[in-house]
Amino acid sequence: MKVALVHDDLARLVSRPDDPLDIGSEWEDERTVAGQAEALRAAGHEVTRISHGPDLIAKLEAFRPDCVFNIAEGRRGKDRESIVPAVCRQMGFACTSSDAAAMALTLDKGLSKALARSLGIPTPDGMVVRRPGDLEGPLPSPPLFVKPNGEGSSMGIRPESVARTLEDARETARRLLDAIGPVLLETFLPGPEYTVGLLGNEDPEAFPVAEIRTGGRVYDKSMKSKDRMEEEVVCPADLDPETATRLVDWSRTLWREMGLSGMARFDFKCDRNGRPAFLEANPLPGMSRFYSVYTLQAAAHGIGYERLLARIVDLAVRRTETEFSW
């Protein structure tokens, strides 16, 4: 098939005054993008790389792909991850990511958590701060974790994101409001962190649950290097079967209710008593051969890198045969 690999171009990133803090943290580097193109070609596809920018539609129209392999996060805005799937839907191209509506929902962490709570899935207590005045009212009790409401790859997260006092929480939140946008304040959970990877369409299969170990450090931007993995990924996690099953069941429920498809990763963290709570869903999980948790989970499930990418393309093409055209 003709596959268009649509990606952000980290090599050409020039920061603009209106860009959010840590712009480019979510974008894959050249080594990863080139490796994905190579893996897709190894599966027998004709691959053209297309950088995500103002000429996206023109480039897609010229190539006319059978499938768009989408890893583009976008530059800014709460709808930035929705651009590529929305364009593909309107142009009639199969696209490997979830649709635009699901992408917008999952990027909004506060909204995702509200949905999880409505489904009986626990989340940390918290609130979304959209303007400085919101910080003058009652806040959850510290310690709190303070982070952007609509960013990934630890954008905006620093050691001071763990706020031990309300004043510290307000100070960090004000900084993030000014540098990025709406902020999520939630109860800090000091226990282990786990992640669930799903692959499929209507009935996704689950990879082994992985534990992310950071050695007591905040899982911030400094740990998300594109050169190496500073965190330790234990997969399968040393977790009792009952809890592992519960995390997978919660993830499948969220997958269905959020309208996800293709691939996604679901993150959970435990309180001091070991009780897990849902943190966020990521429908564009890191897909690097070198430093991504999702691909490590796939490997632990017996799915190598080339096969994983080929499966994702196949799922996207099959999905276009069954979903509503409108």
Side-chain angles (χ1 to χ4, degrees):
M1 288 187 292
K2 295 173 65 177
V3 176
L5 176 57
V6 177
H7 62 94
D8 304 295
D9 195 345
L10 186 61
R12 298 183 180 180
L13 175 63
V14 177
S15 182
R16 304 168 183 165
D18 59 345
D19 278 333
L21 182 70
D22 300 338
I23 180 68
S25 294
E26 298 171 298
W27 298 7
E28 300 286 18
D29 63 2
E30 171 60 24
R31 180 177 58 157
T32 291
V33 178
Q36 289 177 335
E38 180 183 352
L40 291 167
R41 291 188 182 107
H45 300 303
E46 176 189 347
V47 181
T48 288
R49 290 175 48 173
I50 297 177
S51 58
H52 187 203
D55 55 356
L56 172 65
I57 292 176
K59 289 181 177 179
L60 287 174
E61 184 63 42
F63 184 54
R64 302 299 301 175
D66 298 299
C67 182
V68 170
F69 197 101
N70 173 37
I71 61 168
E73 298 277 355
R75 189 160 190 131
R76 58 184 179 271
K78 62 183 181 180
D79 56 353
R80 57 191 170 77
E81 290 184 347
S82 302
I83 295 172
V84 174
V87 166
C88 290
R89 172 63 64 89
Q90 298 306 312
M91 297 183 75
F93 301 141
C95 183
T96 57
S97 53
S98 295
D99 67 20
M103 299 291 254
L105 168 60
T106 54
L107 189 58
D108 188 322
K109 293 179 175 63
L111 192 56
S112 296
K113 290 172 189 290
L115 175 60
R117 289 192 294 272
S118 76
L119 297 169
I121 299 171
T123 71
D125 292 335
M127 62 180 288
V128 177
V129 175
R130 302 190 184 279
R131 56 192 65 83
D134 295 342
L135 294 167
E136 304 309 317
L139 301 181
S141 299
L144 296 171
F145 199 84
V146 187
K147 63 183 178 182
N149 186 56
E151 304 294 343
S153 297
S154 294
M155 290 181 68
I157 294 178
R158 301 288 190 272
E160 58 266 27
S161 295
V162 179
R164 302 294 176 181
T165 68
L166 290 180
E167 188 49 46
D168 286 345
R170 289 187 176 99
E171 181 179 346
T172 300
R174 291 188 189 103
R175 175 178 61 83
L176 291 176
L177 279 170
D178 183 61
I180 296 182
V183 175
L184 180 67
L185 274 68
E186 60 185 5
T187 300
F188 172 64
L189 302 180
E193 182 168 347
Y194 300 103
T195 187
V196 176
L198 297 184
L199 175 71
N201 285 331
E202 292 83 5
D203 186 22
E205 61 186 290
F207 301 155
V209 177
E211 180 182 356
I212 312 299
R213 297 179 179 176
T214 62
R217 294 169 58 188
V218 174
Y219 200 21
D220 62 5
K221 181 179 180 292
S222 69
M223 294 198 73
K224 301 251 180 124
S225 168
K226 291 178 171 35
D227 298 318
R228 62 192 181 278
M229 293 188 73
E230 295 196 15
E231 70 272 35
E232 178 186 3
V233 180
V234 180
C235 187
D238 183 14
L239 192 61
D240 66 271
E242 181 179 352
T243 301
T245 297
R246 185 184 311 127
L247 295 181
V248 170
D249 288 345
W250 284 347
S251 299
R252 285 194 170 119
T253 296
L254 290 165
W255 172 286
R256 182 181 64 251
E257 297 301 322
M258 289 175 168
L260 297 171
S261 53
M263 68 285 191
R265 196 193 70 238
F266 299 81
D267 298 337
F268 301 86
K269 207 166 190 302
C270 298
D271 63 15
R272 64 181 67 258
N273 296 312
R275 294 172 298 200
F278 168 67
L279 293 182
E280 61 183 89
N282 188 344
L284 282 176
M287 299 278 282
S288 173
R289 184 196 297 268
F290 310 103
Y291 51 76
S292 293
V293 175
Y294 186 82
T295 54
L296 292 175
Q297 290 179 281
H301 192 57
I303 303 177
Y305 193 67
E306 288 78 10
R307 185 178 165 216
L308 173 63
L309 269 60
R311 285 276 304 275
I312 290 171
V313 169
D314 182 61
L315 286 165
V317 172
R318 283 194 280 143
R319 192 162 60 246
T320 61
E321 298 171 353
T322 59
E323 65 182 359
F324 290 118
S325 61
W326 47 268

